[in-house]
Amino acid sequence: MHRMAAALLERETLDRAEIDLIIEGKELPPFKSPLAYADPGPGEGQKVIKPEAGRKPGYGEGRPSPA
């Protein structure tokens, strides 16, 4: 239980395979931080989509909102 608590403090969540490894007394694979996936690297940033020329943001006059 102490190993599971320590793993949860480090990772926040465990999947079934990780829980099985802990129960079997085996080591968990190295943890990759979610931030490691967030950095796309140089030149691979988020694509920005610009609105069409002449259009205002929103739904326009006379058109109902989707809510």
Side-chain angles (χ1 to χ4, degrees):
M1 287 179 61
H2 292 280
R3 289 185 65 220
M4 191 165 306
L8 284 167
L9 287 172
E10 177 188 357
R11 301 169 185 240
E12 292 190 19
T13 61
L14 298 171
D15 63 21
R16 180 186 174 131
E18 292 168 330
I19 292 172
D20 289 341
L21 287 173
I22 292 171
I23 291 171
E24 294 169 7
K26 298 179 181 175
E27 290 295 316
L28 292 176
F31 176 66
K32 289 189 177 182
S33 170
L35 297 177
Y37 300 108
D39 184 15
E44 296 181 27
Q46 182 179 5
K47 214 180 231 187
V48 177
I49 301 173
K50 296 184 178 182
E52 296 174 21
R55 291 192 63 190
K56 294 181 183 178
Y59 293 100
E61 293 181 32
R63 294 174 60 189
S65 70

